[in-house]
């Protein structure tokens, strides 16, 4: 019932479709709570892009740290982004990286809400 | 046929990249002198970077030559671990996440 554009107007593309699917069965209260928590957790694809670009100035791998991939972040920093090749691949790939992270966060948010509000979990 | 093509388009670029890099690492000859390198620093004439030797070190580790691997670059094990973990995550995500690239 809840419209994703009303609660999370900043979403676009595949993320928009995915979150709409999750919000389908929520009522307005649940949806606005979900939107608040999810917004606090999600990472903007543009920020990932900018952090990836910093890789060309010697700070490679910041985007991997931001996405919670600490091991890869260390590997990128120590090798200047795998000799810049990794940085270039992630530059092509930044939307997928952000989307993957955001899907994970959406599910974390859902399970958290259903934990704290057993009656509020729509998909449960 | 159509299903196969549909399935192929869902393989993320990053997964292809990591698998290709592992294959490339395994085909290096660590004993060759100056080798062909994709590294832009190398082609600019820099002699050293914190990542230098990591590929050769990973190759030596895959051949079971632990000592030579460690003296070439101590982080080969970490690199292998991290890359295989990432490949595993990406494969696991194939079912749940559609990728852009």
């Amino acid at each position: 019932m809840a419209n994703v554009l009303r609660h999370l107007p900043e979403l676009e593309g595949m993320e928009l479709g995915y979150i709409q699917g999750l919000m389908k069965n929520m009522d307005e209260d649940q949806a606005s709570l979900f939107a608040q928590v999810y917004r606090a957790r999600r990472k903007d694809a543009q920020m990932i892009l900018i952090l990836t670009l910093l890789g060309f100035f010697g700070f490679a791998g910041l985007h991997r740290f931001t996405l919670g991939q600490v091991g890869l972040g260390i590997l990128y920093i120590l090798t200047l982004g795998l000799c810049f090749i990794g940085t270039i691949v992630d530059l092509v790939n930044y939307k997928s990286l952000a989307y993957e992270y955001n899907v994970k966060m959406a599910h974390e948010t859902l399970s958290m809400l259903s934990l704290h509000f057993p009656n509020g979990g729509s998909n449960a | 046929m159509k299903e196969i093509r549909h399935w192929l388009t869902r393989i993320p670029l990053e997964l292809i990249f990591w698998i290709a890099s592992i294959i490339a690492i395994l085909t290096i000859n660590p004993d060759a002198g100056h080798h062909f390198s994709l590294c832009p620093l190398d082609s600019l004439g820099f002699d050293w970077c914190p990542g230098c030797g990591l590929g050769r070190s990973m190759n030596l580790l895959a051949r079971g030559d632990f000592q030579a691997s460690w003296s070439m670059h101590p982080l080969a094990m970490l690199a292998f671990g991290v890359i295989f973990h990432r490949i595993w995550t990406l494969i696991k995500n194939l079912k749940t996440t559609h990728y852009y690239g």
Side-chain angles (χ1 to χ4, degrees), chain A residues 16 50 52 58 61 70-71 89 97 109:
Chain A
L16 181 73
I50 290 165
T52 311
V70 179
V89 170
L97 290 170
T109 308

Side-chain angles (χ1 to χ4, degrees), chain A:
Chain A
M1 291 294 233
N3 187 350
V4 66
L5 283 174
R6 180 168 299 151
H7 295 284
L8 290 157
E10 71 265 41
L11 302 193
E12 52 184 33
M14 287 166 68
E15 193 187 358
L16 181 73
Y18 193 85
I19 300 299
Q20 175 69 81
L22 291 182
M23 281 184 148
K24 213 167 40 196
N25 300 319
M26 299 181 186
D27 61 35
E28 289 297 320
D29 278 350
Q30 289 167 353
S32 74
L33 183 59
F34 172 82
Q36 251 177 44
V37 180
Y38 177 64
R39 182 179 288 130
R41 271 149 209 274
R42 74 183 280 273
K43 295 271 196 286
D44 203 12
Q46 234 165 70
M47 188 178 71
I48 303 300
L49 174 65
I50 290 165
L51 287 176
T52 311
L53 280 171
L54 283 180
F56 290 114
F57 304 98
F59 305 99
L62 293 183
H63 59 296
R64 294 284 182 172
F65 282 112
T66 315
L67 296 171
Q69 301 165 8
V70 179
L72 276 170
I74 293 171
L75 194 66
Y76 270 57
I77 277 201
L78 290 179
T79 62
L80 296 178
L82 307 179
C83 295
F84 295 103
I85 303 166
T87 301
I88 294 167
V89 170
D90 286 352
L91 215 54
V92 179
N93 212 16
Y94 72 98
K95 276 192 175 175
S96 290
L97 290 170
Y99 177 66
E100 179 193 350
Y101 180 84
N102 287 336
V103 165
K104 212 170 79 187
M105 282 306 118
H107 281 280
E108 235 164 67
T109 308
L110 269 187
S111 67
M112 209 172 62
L113 292 187
S114 63
L115 203 70
H116 289 285
F117 309 95
N119 303 325
S122 58
N123 290 15

